[in-house]
Amino acid sequence: GENVEQHPSTLSVQEGDSAVIKCTYSDSASNYFPWYKQELGKRPQLIIDIRSNVGEKKDQRIAVTLNKTAKHFSLHITETQPEDSAVYFCAAIFQGGTSYGKLTFGQGTILTVHP
Amino acid sequence: DGGITQSPKYLFRKEGQNVTLSCEQNLNHDAMYWYRQDPGQGLRLIYYSQIVNDFQKGDIAEGYSVSREKKESFPLTVTSAQKNPTAFYLCASKAGGSYNEQFFGPGTRLTVL
């Protein structure tokens, strides 16, 4: 089955700095890679995703890059703000045909942005 | 707020008791999932269901049971066989087809006393 490794487990940055979280996956068939943000005591919410036929995707201050050859993908947050402080999870899945599949999550990264 | 509800928000259980966590969705999603979240361990899949009256074990199914009698509902029972049930439990659902977002419920925090 799929295995997703996420690093670092904790990340502390100053407001305005950039933050990068990296994930590697094992199953070369995986073709969809979402990122979720979970604030303390809340549900995870999708912030950005990328499909395997795309190398990079941006949405305002956040971007995701995918290297299929190396089987790793990264989340980039620029101009960080205190409200970016949360736990971030990467995930991977093969989606296709009639199978809805199941997401495999990384272990999570606790991001703290200091004012 | 996402169309997925879980109840109760907090649940306390004595050792040896079975408890059932509720998950309901009004999004008309075919697939539903149950995850367990422990500090530092991310989200681990307990069970999932892609269609009514059918479900599959996830990575940590031992000590848990589910049913899927209705499309909208996917209750999870934590049995007395689950050795360490104290955790945050999250339900999720997803529409059919590729690349669709998986939506999460607000979660139930279960504490064994």
Side-chain angles (χ1 to χ4, degrees):
Chain A
E2 176 65 277
N3 182 51
V4 177
E5 297 288 332
Q6 182 173 346
H7 299 280
S9 56
T10 60
L11 180 59
S12 183
V13 300
Q14 289 296 125
E15 183 176 0
D17 288 349
S18 295
V20 180
I21 302 171
K22 299 181 179 181
C23 291
T24 59
Y25 62 98
S26 61
D27 188 352
S28 57
S30 289
N31 59 0
Y32 176 62
F33 307 91
W35 285 88
Y36 284 83
K37 175 184 180 181
Q38 185 179 28
E39 297 177 358
L40 189 63
K42 301 275 184 73
R43 74 187 79 192
Q45 294 193 302
L46 182 73
I47 55 171
I48 195 167
D49 56 16
I50 191 167
R51 303 181 187 184
S52 59
N53 59 349
V54 175
E56 182 175 0
K57 183 178 179 180
K58 290 185 73 172
D59 183 3
Q60 299 182 333
R61 294 187 299 107
I62 61 173
V64 57
T65 57
L66 171 66
N67 183 327
K68 284 192 298 181
T69 303
K71 291 191 282 187
H72 66 69
F73 57 111
S74 300
L75 177 71
H76 304 254
I77 306 174
T78 58
E79 300 171 22
T80 53
Q81 302 167 2
E83 50 265 38
D84 293 330
S85 297
V87 181
Y88 290 82
F89 293 98
C90 62
I93 187 173
F94 169 73
Q95 298 198 126
T98 57
S99 171
Y100 299 150
K102 54 188 179 84
L103 282 169
T104 300
F105 286 87
Q107 296 84 352
T109 295
I110 302 172
L111 174 63
T112 304
V113 180
H114 299 282
Chain B
D1 193 14
I4 304 177
T5 58
Q6 291 184 241
S7 62
K9 186 173 183 179
Y10 298 97
L11 185 58
F12 298 90
R13 182 193 104 173
K14 293 182 180 179
E15 282 193 27
Q17 288 182 334
N18 293 354
V19 290
T20 297
L21 282 58
S22 169
C23 177
E24 304 278 332
Q25 53 98 0
N26 62 3
L27 301 168
N28 199 35
H29 285 171
D30 289 312
M32 297 187 73
Y33 306 81
W34 273 106
Y35 294 90
R36 170 180 171 140
Q37 186 172 27
D38 298 282
Q41 293 196 45
L43 298 165
R44 293 184 290 168
L45 184 66
I46 304 171
Y47 268 98
Y48 67 108
S49 168
Q50 299 188 72
I51 196 169
V52 173
N53 293 322
D54 187 48
F55 48 83
Q56 290 80 39
K57 291 182 178 180
D59 301 318
I60 56 165
E62 185 175 352
Y64 300 96
S65 65
V66 293
S67 63
R68 187 86 187 276
E69 298 177 1
K70 298 187 297 182
K71 188 175 186 178
E72 313 80 55
S73 178
F74 191 40
L76 173 74
T77 297
V78 184
T79 74
S80 56
Q82 169 50 234
K83 300 299 181 197
N84 185 21
T86 295
F88 188 50
Y89 290 87
L90 286 159
C91 179
S93 71
K94 178 183 172 300
S98 299
Y99 309 118
N100 285 319
E101 178 181 350
Q102 187 167 287
F103 291 90
F104 285 87
T108 292
R109 188 165 298 280
L110 172 64
T111 302
V112 174
L113 304 173

